[in-house]
Amino acid sequence: MNYYSDSSEWRYLFRNAIDWDTIIPLYQPSFPTPDGFNNQEELLSFYEDLLTATGKWAAETLTPRAAELDQVGGGKLVEGQVQTSSVLQQTYHEAREMGLFGMTMDARFGGMGVPASIGILSFEQVSRACVSTNTQLGFFSIIADMIERFCPTDL
């Protein structure tokens, strides 16, 4: 199962409900891009590949893991230190490998620089699988977003 590619509604919305002609130039003012995309269609295909990957991860990994996370919890406080559960640690590791933390951040800060709409759609897939996991991953992404928006970048 895949929460993106198996959903004709999400694929339709991606292609028809988002004004990519307006959004893409805000993120990629010219082609070819430094990342090697030659045109808007190649970039949109990359975005769909990202959503397909997160849709697969959410459906096949996070959904079955949600019950285990509910049982063991996210972690515990031991002598004033948080010890994250192995279940949540595995999720963090996988999210980091996929580049989900800060995916909407500019590449110069380690993000992918994808539009916020892609970030929102990917987090919706994670939320469908496990709301608590979405909250965990979203927490770190929100912090990164606030730093990018409101902190000096020339330090």
Side-chain angles (χ1 to χ4, degrees), residues 129-147:
C130 179
V131 173
S132 61
T133 297
N134 186 55
T135 302
Q136 286 287 320
L137 300 180
F139 171 78
F140 295 108
S141 295
I142 289 169
I143 290 172
D145 182 57
M146 293 300 108
I147 291 170

Side-chain angles (χ1 to χ4, degrees), residues 41-129:
E41 190 53 41
E42 285 182 11
L43 192 57
L44 289 175
S45 180
F46 169 70
Y47 293 161
E48 283 196 291
D49 288 346
L50 284 175
L51 293 173
T52 299
T54 56
K56 179 179 168 81
W57 179 59
E60 295 180 2
T61 303
L62 297 180
T63 296
R65 187 180 291 160
E68 183 182 6
L69 185 59
D70 285 345
Q71 289 176 347
V72 301
K76 58 186 173 182
L77 189 62
V78 177
E79 297 179 15
Q81 298 292 316
V82 174
Q83 291 182 349
T84 307
S85 71
S86 61
V87 176
L88 189 56
Q89 279 292 349
Q90 182 63 31
T91 299
Y92 286 161
H93 174 75
E94 293 163 359
R96 184 175 53 251
E97 291 294 311
M98 293 177 72
L100 293 182
F101 291 115
M103 74 184 323
T104 59
M105 289 186 65
D106 191 286
R108 65 190 164 128
F109 300 120
M112 286 189 226
V114 302
S117 53
I118 300 301
I120 290 167
L121 290 172
S122 67
F123 275 97
E124 184 282 329
Q125 296 169 344
V126 173
S127 187
R128 179 178 173 187

